[in-house]
Amino acid sequence: MSLPERRDVRLPFPELMEWLEQPMFGFRPFGQILRVEDYIAEGRYVLRAELPGVDPDKDVEIVVDDRVLHIRAEKTRRTTEPHRSEFAYGALARTVTLPATAKTDDVKATYANGVLEISVGLAEEKKAEGRRITVEH
């Protein structure tokens, strides 16, 4: 297992934004965020997202657009008891830049035990061979 390289960063200091969105700060300017982990295994880029309590058929949308993966989900929970009812809802979203060698036509998604797993095939990276440069004088 190896970690993917990050070269195309869309926001300055993305780690700072994630740090500010921690529960102890309560600052979420863009709604709730999906907690994810990503890695490369067996020639595929794998992204796993925590999504407990959602119906993947109705509440989850996954879109790949120009090497960018968009995940959107909606959580709703309603509890009804005699003389009392309670509900909670919220939208979750995450956008991830895929590695440069990602094959956007080879994307698979599965959902089990509250975890959404998306895997994207990767093309073999062609390493350029070095060549000697002569110095003119």
Side-chain angles (χ1 to χ4, degrees), residues 85-124:
S85 68
E86 189 174 317
F87 68 92
Y89 60 91
L92 304 156
R94 188 70 183 247
T95 300
V96 178
T97 302
L98 297 172
T101 59
K103 297 183 202 174
T104 56
D105 58 342
D106 181 12
V107 180
K108 297 176 183 166
T110 59
Y111 181 84
N113 301 323
V115 177
L116 174 68
E117 183 173 295
I118 302 167
S119 70
V120 181
L122 296 175
E124 282 195 32

Side-chain angles (χ1 to χ4, degrees), residues 6-80:
R6 294 282 187 225
R7 290 192 179 144
D8 297 337
V9 177
R10 303 260 186 231
L11 293 172
F13 311 111
E15 294 83 15
L16 177 63
M17 291 303 294
E18 285 189 23
W19 182 70
L20 287 173
E21 291 170 343
Q22 295 295 323
M24 67 182 201
F25 292 105
F27 177 69
R28 290 194 166 110
F30 308 112
Q32 294 179 342
I33 191 163
L34 287 172
R35 302 309 280 163
V36 299
E37 68 175 347
D38 62 348
Y39 55 90
I40 294 176
E42 300 174 11
R44 298 187 70 80
Y45 170 79
V46 180
L47 182 125
R48 294 170 32 98
E50 289 182 346
L51 283 174
V54 300
D55 181 350
D57 295 326
K58 292 190 259 179
D59 300 331
V60 177
E61 178 184 46
I62 302 167
V63 176
V64 177
D65 182 30
D66 191 31
R67 281 191 36 238
V68 177
L69 176 69
H70 303 276
I71 305 168
R72 293 178 194 92
E74 270 200 45
K75 290 174 84 170
T76 56
R77 180 178 50 92
R78 170 169 251 153
T79 306
T80 305

